[in-house]
Amino acid sequence: MERVNRILAHPAYREAVRKNKEAEQERRYCHHDMAHFLDVARIAMLLAAKEELPVSEESVYAAALVHDMGRYRQYEDGTPHERASAELAEEILLQSGFDDKETSVIIDAVRNHRNAETAKEKSLRGLLYRADKLSRACFACPVQEECNWSAEKKNLRLIV
């Protein structure tokens, strides 16, 4: 997990996480923070084991850590956060030791983590999509009635 720890220590990554926190300071709904990133990573690892998918732990954690890192840009200038995150993550991944092929796969997963067409894929893209959605505990959210997620998207019960 050395390369994942390099992501966590990377100045550009730390800055993006800080900007997300600042941008969501007054947000009442789900946050795009380290707790969310780690929830997504751990859920993706559980899904990968359950589905017997051949994905590396480092790739799963890397994708989960960077998938929403550009959320602040969506607030600032309207850039879809999956695109902003992919743009910000590429250099960080390469500088953290991921090779071109690994980086390409991770960036593709980040770009598609909101694309419902990837939901059932047996790939890093599919894992990231499913884990991201499953990470939200809507059933315990005090503002879930006000949330703009559709009833079909909300996690109103645990799914194993």
Side-chain angles (χ1 to χ4, degrees), residues 33 75 83 142 150 157:
D33 56 12
Y75 300 126
R83 190 174 95 213
S150 66
R157 60 189 184 92

Side-chain angles (χ1 to χ4, degrees), residues 62-80:
L65 288 175
V66 302
H67 82 283
D68 282 340
M69 69 179 283
R71 183 68 185 213
Y72 72 90
R73 285 195 41 210
Q74 188 166 326
Y75 300 126
E76 286 179 356
D77 62 20
T79 302

Side-chain angles (χ1 to χ4, degrees), residues 18-58:
R18 184 194 66 74
K19 286 182 175 182
N20 276 355
K21 182 176 181 177
E22 186 177 288
E24 294 185 336
Q25 196 167 11
E26 302 297 321
R27 184 178 164 92
R28 296 178 55 212
Y29 306 105
C30 298
H31 286 222
H32 301 84
D33 56 12
M34 193 57 63
H36 172 59
F37 302 158
L38 292 174
D39 285 347
V40 170
R42 292 172 180 142
I43 291 168
M45 289 304 302
L46 290 169
L47 291 172
K50 183 177 181 178
E51 298 171 13
E52 299 179 353
L53 298 180
V55 292
S56 79
E57 185 175 44
E58 279 193 313

